[in-house]
Amino acid sequence: MVLLEELLRCQLKEWYHLFQPHTIPTLFLPLPASFLSYLQGLSLSLSPDGSHSPSPAPFLLPTSASNSAFHKFPAHSTVPDPDSNFHSDSDSDSDSASEVKAPSFPELESEVEKSISALGGRVVPKLNWSAPKDATWMSPFGSLKCESFSEICLLLHSSDCIIHDLTEALPSSQDYANQKQNEDEFQFFLALRKWVPDIRPEYEFRCFVHDKKLVGISQREVTAFYPSLMTQKNQIVDSIVDFFNRIVKPVFGSRDYTFDVYLTQKRKKVILVDFNPWGCFTLPLLFEWEELEQDREEVELRLVESSFAVRPGMKTAVPYDYLDTSEGSGWDEFFRKAELEIRRQIETGED
């Protein structure tokens, strides 16, 4: 298991300033407790003693202060009881549903919109460790690209990776019980990374460092076979090894960790994407952790070398709340945005 200090060192905000010239431009916003509760599907209700206590809440996108196209949601929504039977039109609203007011985060929304604008109008959201990569099925773009606060909320709220950051990341460290921080005082951040449109998944790699030695490099996108990589093995290894020895190894403090990189197609320039702890919740991809911990003389590169060696991706479930397609629901807004995107592509002649 990973040590707490190693886990904390892998937070994007902790390492970003050390490698800023070599990574993607990013802005950070502290997240208030009310928004963290919202991401966990909770609402903060006022207890009789005056304190705020979390209680389960249905999914609603926040009401917006900006009134942009994807932000026009009603301030309340009818939420059906999942345990109730279907009701006829003659049934009363009080028997079939309840009205719940949507949350609002005007200050955070304002800061997010300013940050999106500063980063060119399109961003990738992330918390301290994880991006909502398991929720791209919610995006009409089919990616992590977001252009508004509402789109960010949609991805974050529907991601198990984000829930892991909020509830399981810290306790996953082996010395968490001995050095337990007050989780109410731990600061979660929203990291907004500039969207890079021309990144090709075959040039993303995960690099494994054991005892401060680079021991392995794995193709990150293991659900596809890319024949073009077969003739570039030496160049890939040379570029990453040089980057590790010059940039990463002298600065990053852990002995065992992984880091993700992207290689530009033409010059094979290395762009640092992320750090992850060794083992723990980090995927070893085309390796096994046990073999990575064995003594190695050279750095080993592993690629998906045929269509038969492809490894299927992780399956993600659709949360119950998104099954509601009524006006103002998450799916309703999703379908409307998707339709607009399809029309735009048809009008502009995009494939």
Side-chain angles (χ1 to χ4, degrees):
M1 291 180 68
V2 66
L3 295 175
L4 181 60
E5 66 173 346
E6 296 172 334
L7 181 66
L8 297 177
R9 193 176 289 130
C10 289
Q11 295 178 101
L12 177 54
K13 195 173 189 300
E14 290 297 312
W15 62 260
Y16 178 77
H17 67 285
L18 299 174
F19 300 98
Q20 187 170 351
H22 308 284
T23 190
I24 300 166
T26 306
L27 296 175
F28 300 91
L29 300 173
L31 293 176
S34 57
F35 189 74
L36 298 177
S37 295
Y38 165 74
L39 294 182
Q40 297 177 70
L42 303 173
S43 63
L44 290 179
S45 56
L46 194 63
S47 301
D49 61 359
S51 61
H52 287 83
S53 58
S55 58
F59 170 67
L60 292 171
L61 287 172
T63 55
S64 172
S66 66
N67 293 319
S68 59
F70 194 32
H71 284 170
K72 294 179 180 178
F73 301 100
H76 57 80
S77 177
T78 300
V79 183
D81 180 357
D83 297 324
S84 65
N85 296 322
F86 289 105
H87 296 272
S88 65
D89 292 340
S90 61
D91 291 332
S92 65
D93 289 342
S94 60
D95 291 334
S96 62
S98 59
E99 275 198 356
V100 179
K101 187 176 181 180
S104 179
F105 310 98
E107 294 182 2
L108 177 61
E109 179 188 350
S110 176
E111 292 302 312
V112 166
E113 297 292 353
K114 290 177 184 177
S115 297
I116 292 175
S117 178
L119 291 169
R122 297 174 179 180
V123 299
V124 171
K126 183 175 181 176
L127 292 197
N128 295 43
W129 293 278
S130 303
K133 51 187 176 291
D134 58 326
T136 53
W137 58 272
M138 286 299 299
S139 168
F141 307 116
S143 68
L144 291 171
K145 178 175 69 174
C146 292
E147 298 177 346
S148 70
F149 180 63
S150 294
E151 291 174 355
I152 290 171
C153 291
L154 194 61
L155 288 181
L156 296 181
H157 195 285
S158 53
S159 170
D160 288 339
C161 294
I162 296 304
I163 292 297
H164 180 276
D165 266 24
L166 296 175
T167 63
E168 300 179 36
L170 291 173
S172 68
S173 59
Q174 68 182 35
D175 55 342
Y176 176 71
N178 297 330
Q179 304 183 39
K180 185 173 182 180
Q181 299 185 20
N182 186 335
E183 291 190 29
D184 293 332
E185 296 178 358
F186 181 81
Q187 181 63 66
F188 282 96
F189 286 87
L190 173 62
L192 298 177
R193 315 205 75 183
K194 183 179 178 67
W195 171 255
V196 183
D198 55 351
I199 281 185
R200 296 175 56 175
E202 65 265 41
Y203 290 107
E204 294 182 81
F205 299 92
R206 173 156 294 170
C207 311
F208 300 87
V209 179
H210 183 54
D211 197 22
K212 286 190 171 290
K213 180 181 178 182
L214 182 61
V215 295
I217 302 170
S218 172
Q219 179 179 327
R220 278 203 69 201
E221 179 51 77
V222 297
T223 63
F225 167 54
Y226 299 101
S228 61
L229 295 180
M230 298 301 103
T231 60
Q232 303 178 56
K233 292 182 179 180
N234 290 339
Q235 190 176 7
I236 291 170
V237 172
D238 290 345
S239 296
I240 293 177
V241 168
D242 176 70
F243 181 79
F244 170 72
N245 288 331
R246 289 189 302 105
I247 306 300
V248 177
K249 184 177 180 179
V251 177
F252 199 71
S254 297
R255 298 193 66 82
D256 305 313
Y257 58 94
T258 75
F259 64 98
D260 296 338
V261 297
Y262 176 75
L263 271 61
T264 59
Q265 187 178 1
K266 292 183 178 180
R267 297 184 179 180
K268 290 297 180 289
K269 176 184 177 182
V270 181
I271 298 174
L272 181 61
V273 177
D274 205 3
F275 283 96
N276 293 289
W278 184 269
C280 197
F281 47 80
T282 305
L283 295 176
L285 300 176
L286 296 175
F287 289 95
E288 299 294 337
W289 288 115
E290 292 78 8
E291 59 182 333
L292 286 166
E293 293 174 350
Q294 299 173 358
D295 291 336
R296 291 171 175 268
E297 295 298 326
E298 297 182 349
V299 179
E300 181 180 358
L301 171 66
R302 289 192 181 178
L303 306 173
V304 176
E305 302 207 2
S306 75
S307 57
F308 299 103
V310 167
R311 299 195 180 187
M314 296 176 60
K315 294 182 179 180
T316 55
V318 179
Y320 171 81
D321 300 293
Y322 291 96
L323 299 180
D324 176 17
T325 58
S326 61
E327 184 176 358
S329 67
W331 270 120
D332 176 54
E333 295 303 324
F334 167 77
F335 287 135
R336 278 196 276 173
K337 187 66 182 261
E339 183 178 0
L340 290 173
E341 176 64 10
I342 292 172
R343 288 181 181 176
R344 184 191 68 79
Q345 292 184 11
I346 293 174
E347 291 172 356
T348 58
E350 293 181 19
D351 293 333

